[in-house]
Amino acid sequence: MKSLMRNSLLVLGMVASAAWADATDDLSRLLQPLGAISGKFQQTLIDERGKVLQKSRGKFSVQRPGKLRWETGAPFPQLLVTNNKKLWLYDPDLEQVTVRPVDKRMKDTPALLLGGKVEEIRGSFNVSSKEGAYQLTPKNAQAPFKTMEIRFSKAGLPSAMTVRDSMGQTTKIKFSGMTANPKLSSSIFNFKPPAGTDVIRDE
């Protein structure tokens, strides 16, 4: 009986591994042609009880490897910029920018999916697919989120993303006006703080 159970568990493990491999390959094939993306987003933050805490919208541009510009508008304007070496988080209301180096922690964030190296997805996430969506679970227990789900449009572009964190909060993002492989200036992935901005360096 014990031998049968061990064999059954082994088979189940092999099936699960094969499913993850197939889903990872499928997701990689969708992302591989997208060297750059730009578009608009609508973002909703929901607490563990289902209450909407915040709604925002904005625009973004992303370019591989690791370049991202994510600009959120009113009522809580904020700008996140990374050139794959430094990351700037600018709050115009506080006139403050936090600067930190980009390190391996970035591999465990949702930003990896849009702007990171496609080949790093396999090393950072377990991937499964269900009902047209790809579900990713970080392999690193210290990752800043528990699960992430991404959906694609018929045109093969990301259409929605859902991120659930360890606090029970859910962030839902809907994309629109998407452009695949636009020509992007490298200058948009760098940030020069406006005069009078407090600069906080998080090394």
Side-chain angles (χ1 to χ4, degrees), residues 108-125:
D108 298 318
T109 67
L112 165 67
L113 209 60
L114 296 178
K117 296 179 180 179
V118 173
E119 57 269 23
E120 291 179 346
I121 294 175
R122 189 181 302 277
S124 297
F125 303 106

Side-chain angles (χ1 to χ4, degrees), residues 66-82:
K67 297 179 180 179
L68 176 70
R69 184 181 183 92
W70 190 273
E71 187 172 357
T72 304
F76 305 104
Q78 195 174 68
L79 175 64
L80 184 149
V81 179
T82 176

Side-chain angles (χ1 to χ4, degrees), residues 48-123:
E48 68 279 7
R49 298 179 181 176
K51 180 182 178 181
V52 175
L53 300 178
Q54 181 179 316
K55 287 187 176 183
S56 59
R57 61 181 65 230
K59 57 184 180 180
F60 77 98
S61 295
V62 60
Q63 186 177 63
R64 291 200 177 95
K67 297 179 180 179
L68 176 70
R69 184 181 183 92
W70 190 273
E71 187 172 357
T72 304
F76 305 104
Q78 195 174 68
L79 175 64
L80 184 149
V81 179
T82 176
N83 61 6
N84 202 30
K85 294 181 180 179
K86 289 185 178 181
L87 183 146
W88 295 267
L89 183 59
Y90 174 57
D91 189 319
D93 287 343
L94 297 178
E95 296 184 327
Q96 175 180 294
V97 61
T98 301
V99 187
R100 64 184 57 151
V102 172
D103 58 21
K104 63 181 181 180
R105 289 176 298 179
M106 283 291 290
K107 295 181 180 180
D108 298 318
T109 67
L112 165 67
L113 209 60
L114 296 178
K117 296 179 180 179
V118 173
E119 57 269 23
E120 291 179 346
I121 294 175
R122 189 181 302 277

Side-chain angles (χ1 to χ4, degrees), residues 41-46 50-58 72-77 170-172 174:
F41 67 87
Q42 182 176 337
Q43 184 170 298
T44 304
L45 178 64
I46 304 169
K51 180 182 178 181
V52 175
L53 300 178
Q54 181 179 316
K55 287 187 176 183
S56 59
R57 61 181 65 230
T72 304
F76 305 104
T170 300
T171 300
K172 294 187 176 182
K174 292 183 179 180

Side-chain angles (χ1 to χ4, degrees), residues 171-182:
T171 300
K172 294 187 176 182
I173 304 171
K174 292 183 179 180
F175 298 110
S176 62
M178 301 284 276
T179 301
N181 299 314

